[in-house]
Amino acid sequence: MKRCLSILGSTGSIGTQTLDVVRGLGLKVCALAANTNIALLESQIREFKPELAAVFDLDAAKKLKTAVADTPVRVVAGMDGLCEAAAIGSADLVLNSVVGMVGLTPTLAAINAGKDVALANKETLVAGGALVMNAVKRNAVKIFPVDSEHSAVFQCLQGCPDKRMLKRIILTASGGPFFGKSRDELAHVTPQQALKHPNWNMGAKVTIDSATMMNKGLEIIEASWLFDMPASKISVVVHRESVIHSMIEYEDNSVIAQLGLPDMRIPIQYAITWPQRFPSPVGRLSLTDYGKLTFFEPDLHTFTCLSACKKAIERGGLAPAAANGANEVAVKLFLDGRISFIEIGELVRKAMENQPDVQTVSSVDDILNADKNARNYVLNAVGHL
């Protein structure tokens, strides 16, 4: 089991739940990193006593330095600070739960420093899959998935003696708050309605991605890299109860599933304790309390983000990075009331299709340029540049 953690994104939903797991397991924290939530970060510093704290926002970093001047913690700032926290020598596991493309460079910094990574930042593999997985092989480190779906697949694969026996990965999706709705019904939904997820307690951006099913599209791309599977062998099924977190199908058509309450502390803890298991703060699953579990085909016509991501991974190259970048901007525009819910998927698809075919991704700069171009495309399309 990992003994000392560096936690990037410690004030977010995954970060705070990770610290809950850390408390239960009695582990040490050597570094914490956040963006602007200085009050919570200060509280975490005083409780867990890390040697390093990184703050991405420069002004917020100055405020934190003043707030914790009476402690021995060293405060660093910006992207350089995040990378320093990711590569800190005393960590034997880096948990990356920052939101968005900002997570890519620190992930690579951790890998290149020889650190195992517990990954909750989808964008790392969506945009930089080839670079990241090549770095993992080159440095002989491991990536442990934290997303509930990818963790479920990872857990199911512990009983797979030979990858050639694996026929298909089946990712489950809750369907979000708008399951069963038509495009016409979704034309005028509000951010407040989209932020009411039926099962999970997540940050705003991830919750909107669940409502549009963009999260499931990103997960297909991520699973393709994590498990070295073509997208054609990765399926999605809508499972409203979020009890089955994902499944794998073998060549003999046997299907293995991982089940549990919809609580992120299970996949977080398994990423930290693999290959061992310990008591967790999560309650026991009672199938009789649920009574029945339901399954449906995803609606690709209504939830166009999902189909856009499928096309992106089929195109390969920088198309996934473009889809991801476009989505980040579109979600913000929707939350700000500047575009409709339906327009998110349309803008993602158009920005992805606008990305030129480039099959070889040779550097982080290639990815960041594709990301920037997709963001600018969306802003131009809605007249906000």
Side-chain angles (χ1 to χ4, degrees):
M1 183 172 66
K2 306 302 181 183
R3 296 297 178 186
C4 193
L5 276 65
S6 173
I7 303 171
L8 312 184
S10 66
T11 60
S13 175
I14 297 296
T16 54
Q17 291 179 87
T18 298
L19 289 172
D20 194 19
V21 170
V22 166
R23 289 186 191 97
L25 295 174
L27 302 180
K28 293 181 179 179
V29 175
C30 50
L32 295 170
N35 184 19
T36 58
N37 192 344
I38 297 309
L40 180 53
L41 183 56
E42 179 187 351
S43 175
Q44 293 173 347
I45 289 169
R46 295 188 181 281
E47 178 181 0
F48 293 98
K49 300 176 175 57
E51 60 186 272
L52 183 72
V55 184
F56 188 65
D57 184 90
L58 300 181
D59 291 334
K62 295 176 182 177
K63 294 177 182 177
L64 182 69
K65 281 185 179 181
T66 301
V68 297
D70 60 320
T71 75
V73 67
R74 186 163 60 89
V75 178
V76 293
M79 180 57 75
D80 289 344
L82 283 183
C83 290
E84 187 174 349
I88 188 168
S90 52
D92 51 15
L93 181 71
V94 177
L95 189 138
N96 186 353
S97 65
V98 302
V99 177
M101 273 293 292
V102 69
L104 173 60
T105 301
T107 298
L108 288 169
I111 292 169
N112 288 328
K115 307 295 180 183
D116 290 339
V117 176
L119 191 60
N121 172 261
K122 286 184 174 66
E123 293 78 9
T124 288
L125 288 178
V126 169
L131 286 179
V132 171
M133 296 313 292
N134 286 337
V136 165
K137 293 175 183 176
R138 188 170 61 249
N139 290 280
V141 299
K142 295 182 178 65
I143 289 187
F144 299 105
V146 171
D147 272 352
S148 62
E149 295 83 359
H150 298 115
S151 175
V153 172
F154 179 65
Q155 292 181 59
C156 290
L157 286 172
Q158 300 308 298
C160 181
D162 189 331
K163 183 177 175 293
R164 290 174 296 181
M165 298 178 183
L166 184 61
K167 185 176 184 179
R168 184 168 57 125
I169 289 172
I170 306 167
L171 301 176
T172 56
S174 70
F178 303 135
F179 171 74
K181 300 291 186 183
S182 67
R183 286 182 65 82
D184 289 342
E185 289 176 302
L186 295 180
H188 302 293
V189 300
T190 67
Q192 291 71 29
Q193 291 171 313
L195 288 168
K196 292 180 180 178
H197 195 281
N199 300 328
W200 294 97
N201 179 22
M202 306 177 290
K205 194 266 183 182
V206 178
T207 304
I208 298 300
D209 283 350
S210 178
T212 63
M213 291 198 73
M214 181 73 184
N215 69 325
K216 212 52 52 179
L218 296 176
E219 286 168 14
I220 290 173
I221 300 171
E222 191 177 2
S224 180
W225 288 111
L226 273 173
F227 306 113
D228 191 24
M229 290 284 283
S232 60
K233 292 187 176 182
I234 303 172
S235 303
V236 172
V237 61
V238 176
H239 167 51
R240 294 294 286 159
E241 296 79 13
S242 297
V243 168
I244 296 177
H245 299 299
S246 279
M247 300 168 269
I248 62 172
E249 182 180 354
Y250 285 111
E251 282 293 340
D252 61 359
N253 293 327
S254 175
V255 175
I256 307 296
Q258 186 265 332
L259 288 73
L261 294 178
D263 190 313
M264 284 302 299
R265 291 174 296 179
I266 290 178
I268 290 168
Q269 180 162 306
Y270 192 65
I272 294 171
T273 65
W274 177 90
Q276 303 176 64
R277 293 184 186 269
F278 295 87
S280 87
V282 180
R284 295 180 65 185
L285 170 65
S286 171
L287 289 174
T288 55
D289 286 348
Y290 282 87
K292 65 177 181 179
L293 303 178
T294 57
F295 307 92
F296 307 89
E297 289 285 344
D299 181 353
L300 298 180
H301 172 72
T302 299
F303 298 94
T304 53
C305 282
L306 181 55
S307 55
C309 285
K310 284 189 171 186
K311 291 178 182 176
I313 189 61
E314 289 169 1
R315 286 186 63 193
L318 294 169
N324 178 74
N327 178 66
E328 286 194 20
V329 174
V331 167
K332 186 177 187 307
L333 291 171
F334 170 66
L335 289 172
D336 291 343
R338 297 179 178 180
I339 64 172
S340 70
F341 182 82
I342 288 295
E343 286 179 295
I344 297 174
E346 295 172 354
L347 289 166
V348 168
R349 177 183 60 80
K350 290 177 181 177
M352 182 273 296
E353 292 175 346
N354 185 65
Q355 172 64 42
D357 282 323
V358 177
Q359 291 305 309
T360 302
V361 182
S362 58
S363 69
V364 172
D365 285 343
D366 290 342
I367 297 166
L368 296 179
N369 286 334
D371 175 80
K372 180 180 178 181
N373 290 338
R375 291 168 186 265
N376 286 338
Y377 179 91
V378 171
L379 292 172
N380 274 320
V382 296
H384 289 289
L385 258 188

